[in-house]
Amino acid sequence: MAKRLLRIFGPLILAAILVFAVLAMPVKLGLSKVSASRERQAAVSLSPNVLKGKRIKEAALKGKYVPFFGSSEWSRFDPMHPSVLAQKYNRSYRPFLLGARGSQSLTQYFVMQNIQGELRNKKAVFVISPQWFVKDGTRKDAFGYYYSQLQTTEWLTHFRHDAIDQYAAKRLLQMPVANSDHFIYQALQRVAAGKSLTKYQRFYLQTRKNMLTHEDQFFSGIDLPSQNLNRVNQQAKKLPTHYSYSALDALGGRIGKAETGNNPFRISDKFYNHGLKQQIQKGKLKNFQKDLSYTESPEFADFQLCLDQFARLNTNVMFIIPPINAKWQKYTGLSASMLKQFDQKIHYQLQSQGFNNIVDLSDKGNVPYFMTDTIHLGWRGWLAVDKRVDPFLTRQQKQPNYSISDKFYSTKWQNLAPSQLEQYENNTK
């Protein structure tokens, strides 16, 4: 009986052992190079698998692609979108869009963990959405959606015993998805407590990382969505042959006017009809944001993780602060003074540490056809971004001089009212 069972299940057991051995090998498999067409597709796909993976990002960023960190704004493909302009006018760079709806600073920090070589001494673009900085910070379900064990094991195999890693571990432990692997969870507990990993934990993490890396090499490009690349191609056809800022600005105005005719907020008719019209007619959204604040949030400390990582890698970053649609802001009761205070606080966190490349568009919410909806750039807004981003990426820039401070991880900073900034600065010198 035992021999019969062995004949039946023996080959299956052997096959499983061989698969495990291959996946656990530390040596990279000799897979074919990622094709240029696959890179083009992945760069605008906004695919969670691409964001969580390594192989495709790593291959693209070694070439002409530049990481554009952000969230849901990247899905607003119109003729002035950064990916469309770069393709149409054959720029020396192409945006690699990193982020989608629900991705915030904590997700982006872990995204950076397996592309450090592609960030070191290079450039990047980072969109800061004020909406991230709500009282509770990033949503746990959204973080879980983009969570990557591969990125976590990459980080844990090279972490340092300092404030950035302790804070990152503590934040990850607050997320339910941290429990998805018992051994990783235990390793996170040790890092959060400032302890070294055990010999077995280091062995497990390295083996797990090897397995996940090989899985990513095998499967990262399977079923890669192509609809966004098709959108880019279609939008590029609407642009004039030669670049002219004034001509494109006028075109953006005409397109915006044509696509925002059925509502008083100058936002996309499609967006208005799909998400807002019925609720506005029922009076549900009037003044519904009057008590909302973006000035006290754990997101400020999560954002510091990204700044700390950029500084470690000497990455020269251009930060973009988009506006809120002013008509929408007034209708929903969102405080204008609070938005100015948020702007002051985020500027202080950036500039006091040497991050001075900032495109602050927060005062452009009244500009016609600058926004495609309530909070996302579109048409003339994207063009204003391009006016700053293109020369930043194509011309030589002054080397940044960063001076990172751990004070931005503190609860005191997270909850600091912007009116106390001057006093806070004097007390922490």
Side-chain angles (χ1 to χ4, degrees):
M1 184 67 177
K3 290 182 178 179
R4 186 180 177 188
L5 290 174
L6 186 61
R7 283 199 300 270
I8 295 172
F9 295 106
L12 294 176
I13 295 171
L14 180 60
I17 293 172
L18 288 173
V19 169
F20 177 83
V22 169
L23 291 176
M25 285 191 307
V27 181
K28 287 188 177 181
L29 299 176
L31 298 179
S32 60
K33 181 182 177 182
V34 178
S35 67
S37 61
R38 182 57 56 87
E39 290 178 356
R40 283 197 301 273
Q41 200 173 343
V44 296
S45 70
L46 306 179
S47 164
N49 288 338
V50 172
L51 189 70
K52 294 190 287 186
K54 178 178 182 177
R55 180 174 177 244
I56 295 178
K57 294 201 304 282
E58 186 179 50
L61 296 175
K62 286 183 185 298
K64 64 182 177 182
Y65 288 88
V66 175
F68 277 51
F69 296 94
S71 52
S72 51
E73 64 279 337
W74 299 138
S75 66
R76 272 55 181 180
F77 291 99
D78 65 40
M80 313 302 166
H81 188 283
S83 298
V84 179
L85 291 174
Q87 176 176 301
K88 176 68 177 183
Y89 298 112
N90 197 27
R91 302 272 172 81
S92 59
Y93 64 90
R94 294 289 188 276
F96 199 105
L97 307 178
L98 296 170
R101 181 181 179 183
S103 61
Q104 297 184 195
S105 303
L106 192 60
T107 291
Q108 297 295 7
Y109 170 72
F110 283 102
V111 167
M112 296 174 194
Q113 298 313 304
N114 57 16
I115 54 171
Q116 290 194 33
E118 290 64 54
L119 291 172
R120 193 178 302 278
N121 300 320
K122 294 187 178 181
K123 296 176 182 176
V125 175
F126 195 111
V127 176
I128 305 170
S129 293
Q131 299 76 28
W132 294 353
F133 296 79
V134 291
K135 182 180 179 181
D136 295 327
T138 188
R139 284 178 47 174
K140 293 179 180 179
D141 58 345
F143 178 81
Y145 183 70
Y146 296 111
Y147 174 71
S148 166
Q149 281 192 13
L150 173 57
Q151 292 165 2
T152 304
T153 54
E154 290 257 7
W155 167 63
L156 285 171
T157 53
H158 63 240
F159 84 96
R160 309 183 200 183
H161 296 276
D162 56 14
I164 178 173
D165 290 319
Q166 280 190 266
Y167 175 80
K170 289 176 182 177
R171 280 293 280 152
L172 187 46
L173 285 169
Q174 293 171 4
M175 303 294 163
V177 75
N179 280 301
S180 60
D181 184 298
H182 174 70
F183 298 105
I184 291 177
Y185 184 82
Q186 287 186 321
L188 289 170
Q189 288 180 311
R190 291 188 68 86
V191 175
K195 298 178 181 179
S196 298
L197 299 179
T198 67
K199 188 177 293 186
Y200 174 75
Q201 285 174 332
R202 290 196 298 270
F203 170 77
Y204 175 82
L205 290 168
Q206 187 62 53
T207 303
R208 185 71 178 136
K209 185 183 81 167
N210 293 339
M211 293 180 68
L212 293 167
T213 300
H214 292 327
E215 286 178 14
D216 178 62
Q217 289 176 330
F218 278 124
F219 305 120
S220 59
I222 294 177
D223 294 328
L224 198 61
S226 60
Q227 63 266 30
N228 286 347
L229 182 58
N230 294 334
R231 289 180 185 137
V232 170
N233 293 335
Q234 289 300 316
Q235 295 297 332
K237 294 177 182 178
K238 300 177 183 180
L239 295 172
T241 304
H242 301 290
Y243 180 93
S244 163
Y245 183 87
S246 59
L248 289 172
D249 188 55
L251 176 62
R254 291 195 299 272
I255 295 174
K257 185 177 182 180
E259 294 186 8
T260 60
N262 75 342
N263 65 83
F265 304 107
R266 281 206 197 108
I267 62 178
S268 160
D269 294 340
K270 183 178 179 180
F271 181 87
Y272 181 76
N273 292 337
H274 178 70
L276 298 178
K277 187 175 182 179
Q278 287 187 337
Q279 294 192 65
I280 287 175
Q281 288 175 344
K282 294 176 182 177
K284 290 185 176 181
L285 301 180
K286 181 71 173 177
N287 290 325
F288 87 105
Q289 295 190 111
K290 60 183 177 66
D291 297 321
L292 196 60
S293 175
Y294 302 146
T295 61
E296 298 176 22
S297 173
E299 189 70 26
F300 286 100
D302 291 352
F303 181 59
Q304 182 63 23
L305 286 172
C306 296
L307 299 186
D308 216 327
Q309 189 66 73
F310 285 137
R312 283 184 177 185
L313 299 173
N314 197 40
T315 310
N316 199 350
V317 192
M318 175 160 278
F319 294 92
I320 300 165
I321 306 174
I324 309 292
N325 182 305
K327 292 178 180 292
W328 177 253
Q329 175 200 325
K330 186 175 181 180
Y331 178 80
T332 60
L334 190 63
S335 169
S337 61
M338 179 275 295
L339 291 173
K340 288 181 180 178
Q341 289 175 343
F342 164 78
D343 205 48
Q344 292 171 353
K345 187 170 181 178
I346 204 70
H347 266 265
Y348 175 78
Q349 186 168 349
L350 287 165
Q351 293 179 299
S352 66
Q353 298 181 94
F355 294 92
N356 296 311
N357 291 317
I358 305 170
V359 183
D360 189 348
L361 303 172
S362 59
D363 62 346
K364 304 298 183 185
N366 263 320
V367 176
Y369 318 118
F370 206 85
M371 313 291 291
T372 190
D373 53 42
T374 56
I375 59 173
H376 296 111
L377 292 164
W379 306 305
R380 300 176 73 192
W382 279 134
L383 191 62
V385 167
D386 183 71
K387 191 174 184 179
R388 294 286 302 278
V389 168
D390 181 50
F392 171 72
L393 294 178
T394 56
R395 300 175 190 170
Q396 187 171 358
Q397 302 295 323
K398 182 180 178 182
Q399 194 66 25
N401 182 22
Y402 299 130
S403 178
I404 295 298
S405 173
D406 292 344
K407 70 183 181 182
F408 294 108
Y409 291 116
S410 69
T411 304
K412 184 176 181 180
W413 170 252
Q414 295 170 41
N415 299 323
L416 186 77
S419 59
Q420 300 173 315
L421 273 177
E422 186 175 351
Q423 180 182 352
Y424 179 79
E425 184 177 10
N426 292 334
N427 291 341
T428 55
K429 282 183 178 179

